[in-house]
């Protein structure tokens, strides 16, 4: 079963509405996470074979998240003419073109932009002039921001001056399948995954950021895909510095306003998100991990279909989504 009966386009419409109103309503970039999570939930169901019960649980959880974090004043924040789909896409891709060539906030401008484009394409158009202005402002607001705030064994300053070179051994990446394969290999290579924004959360964003680039390629924006690869690889290179960290052996350095040493090992999820058991745990009390239970799942399963996943990548994924 393809999850067909469970698909609810309101996840896309409300997801987009949350994203465009995020900065105005909350004053920051991060409320948009919930909108992105709802969009990811919709497409995750659409693109994967889940049992009817598991699919129903995903939909119910995504809707509960929207009830808690969504808009209470209808689906669209603004009344007015809906812009033609091509025009909305052109505005979003122009904004992405301005910021996608650099590493900002572990790729959230690419993640927000790609999921918005995918949702608008699926709806065959969404949003008024005002909505699109706000979407562009959301993406543009990443310009000249930091690469991310929490890192193990490196600093923001070092990442800004990090250069890619032959010794990194990165393959030439021309297509999404190659990017997915690299991401799965990198995920599988971590010896221990620690419960910290600087570790399990960053590894999760490697999944979503890379997936965002692949979505842009699939939506026929290969130039954005290619422009986004170098900053993405810069993040992967920085993450490699924490790949073999063993806090029993020696304490790593940590730059983070939220994490503390010593780092503790992440929990292992016994169930995977395509299994009903995963959703029997109370995800609400953890606020759906800011929508990431949907986003990390959508992205990992995309890479696994694309890139012949190895058992190590599935095993390590359990520590990302516990």
């Amino acid at each position: 079963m393809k999850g067909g009966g469970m698909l609810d386009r309101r996840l896309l419409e409300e997801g987009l509405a949350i994203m465009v109103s995020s900065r105005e309503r909350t004053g920051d970039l991060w409320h948009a996470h919930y909108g992105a999570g709802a969009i990811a939930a919709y497409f995750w169901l659409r693109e994967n074979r889940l049992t009817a019960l598991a699919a129903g649980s995903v939909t119910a959880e995504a809707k509960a998240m929207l009830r808690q974090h969504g808009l209470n004043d209808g689906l669209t924040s603004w009344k007015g003419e809906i812009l033609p789909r091509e025009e909305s896409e052109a505005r979003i891709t122009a904004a992405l073109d301005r910021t996608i060539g650099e590493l900002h906030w572990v790729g959230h401008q690419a993640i927000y932009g790609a999921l918005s484009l995918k949702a608008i394409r699926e709806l065959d158009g969404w949003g008024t002039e005002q909505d699109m202005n706000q979407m562009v402002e959301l993406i543009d607001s990443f310009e000249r921001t930091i690469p991310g705030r929490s890192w193990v064994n490196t600093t923001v300053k070092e990442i800004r001056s990090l250069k890619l070179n032959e010794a990194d051994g990165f393959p030439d990446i021309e297509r999404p399948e190659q990017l997915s394969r690299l991401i799965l290999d990198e995920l599988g290579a971590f010896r221990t995954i620690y419960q910290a924004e600087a570790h399990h959360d960053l590894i999760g964003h490697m999944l979503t950021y890379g997936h965002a680039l692949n979505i842009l390629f699939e939506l026929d924006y290969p130039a954005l895909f290619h422009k986004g690869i170098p900053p993405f690889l810069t993040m992967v290179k920085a993450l490699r510095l924490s790949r073999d960290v063993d806090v029993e052996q020696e304490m790593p350095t940590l730059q983070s306003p939220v994490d503390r040493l010593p780092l503790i090992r992440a929990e292992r999820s016994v169930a995977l998100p395509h299994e009903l058991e995963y959703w029997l745990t109370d995800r609400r009390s953890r606020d759906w991990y800011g929508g990431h239970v949907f986003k990390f799942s959508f992205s990992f399963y995309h890479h696994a279909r694309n890139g012949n996943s190895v058992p190590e990548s599935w095993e390590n994924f359990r520590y990302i989504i516990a």
Side-chain angles (χ1 to χ4, degrees):
M1 118 120 208
K2 200 72 174 172
M6 297 295 171
L7 290 178
D8 187 334
R9 290 161 79 87
R10 277 176 309 185
L11 292 177
L12 301 179
E13 292 165 344
E14 285 201 48
L16 286 163
I18 288 174
M19 287 174 85
V20 299
S21 64
S22 161
R23 290 174 75 228
E24 188 174 71
R25 291 172 68 220
T26 64
D28 71 26
L29 304 169
W30 306 118
H31 192 72
H33 268 136
Y34 297 106
I39 293 168
Y42 174 95
F43 285 114
W44 188 51
L45 290 177
R46 183 160 137 192
E47 294 176 10
N48 293 276
R49 294 178 182 278
L50 273 67
T51 65
L53 284 172
S57 295
V58 173
T59 303
E61 291 293 328
K63 285 183 170 174
M65 179 179 71
L66 286 174
R67 278 196 298 279
Q68 197 164 321
H69 295 288
L71 308 172
N72 301 320
D73 47 5
L75 290 182
T76 309
S77 36
W78 300 93
K79 300 290 169 267
E81 287 289 306
I82 300 294
L83 288 180
R85 173 175 69 76
E86 295 76 10
E87 188 176 337
S88 295
E89 286 197 24
R91 291 193 190 189
I92 294 170
T93 52
L96 278 174
D97 191 53
R98 291 192 283 274
T99 58
I100 205 165
E102 301 209 18
L103 179 58
H104 298 299
W105 280 112
V106 299
H108 276 94
Q109 83 279 32
I111 295 164
Y112 290 167
L115 285 171
S116 302
L117 286 167
K118 193 169 170 69
I120 289 169
R121 179 82 59 97
E122 175 81 353
L123 293 167
D124 198 23
W126 177 90
T128 61
E129 177 92 22
Q130 180 68 29
D131 289 321
M132 277 314 114
N133 290 344
Q134 288 186 310
M135 184 69 83
V136 166
E137 278 169 26
L138 176 69
I139 295 167
D140 278 341
S141 60
F142 284 91
E143 209 170 348
R144 292 192 290 280
T145 56
I146 57 174
R149 65 181 182 170
S150 298
W151 303 92
V152 175
N153 281 347
T154 187
T155 65
V156 166
K157 191 168 182 230
E158 286 165 349
I159 291 166
R160 282 194 158 136
S161 56
L162 210 53
K163 296 281 180 278
L164 299 171
N165 56 48
E166 292 291 311
D168 300 326
F170 287 126
D172 285 334
I173 292 172
E174 296 297 326
R175 300 191 52 80
E177 298 77 12
Q178 296 164 311
L179 185 55
S180 289
R181 216 162 305 142
L182 171 72
I183 289 166
L184 293 169
D185 288 345
E186 295 290 329
L187 172 62
F190 282 87
R191 283 209 314 220
T192 306
I193 292 175
Y194 293 97
Q195 182 72 39
E197 182 184 84
H199 217 236
H200 88 283
D201 193 66
L202 263 190
I203 298 167
H205 282 98
M206 174 179 71
L207 301 175
T208 51
Y209 184 7
H211 185 196
L213 298 179
N214 281 356
I215 288 171
L216 293 170
F217 190 99
E218 290 163 1
L219 293 177
D220 297 321
Y221 296 110
L224 288 174
F225 170 85
H226 292 297
K227 192 171 180 178
I229 294 290
F232 174 78
L233 293 179
T234 302
M235 185 179 107
V236 173
K237 183 170 177 168
L239 257 177
R240 284 177 170 180
L241 301 171
S242 68
R243 197 156 72 179
D244 300 316
V245 165
D246 182 351
V247 294
E248 314 284 294
Q249 301 296 314
E250 63 177 298
M251 208 51 90
T253 65
L254 178 66
Q255 178 175 342
S256 173
V258 288
D259 299 328
R260 296 281 169 270
L261 291 170
L263 296 175
I264 55 164
R265 192 180 174 132
E267 282 176 57
R268 180 183 186 274
S269 180
V270 178
L272 287 162
H274 70 274
E275 298 168 332
L276 178 61
E277 299 91 282
Y278 181 83
W279 300 98
L280 301 180
T281 304
D282 178 15
R283 302 281 156 200
R284 290 169 206 218
S285 63
R286 293 195 182 181
D287 197 31
W288 302 273
Y289 183 30
H292 284 105
V293 290
F294 307 109
K295 292 210 294 281
F296 288 172
S297 300
F298 176 41
S299 295
F300 176 76
Y301 283 77
H302 160 86
H303 296 308
R305 277 201 318 279
N306 241 2
N308 303 331
S309 53
V310 291
E312 293 83 354
S313 55
W314 282 94
E315 177 58 25
N316 278 350
F317 178 59
R318 292 175 186 271
Y319 292 94
I320 305 294
I321 44 98

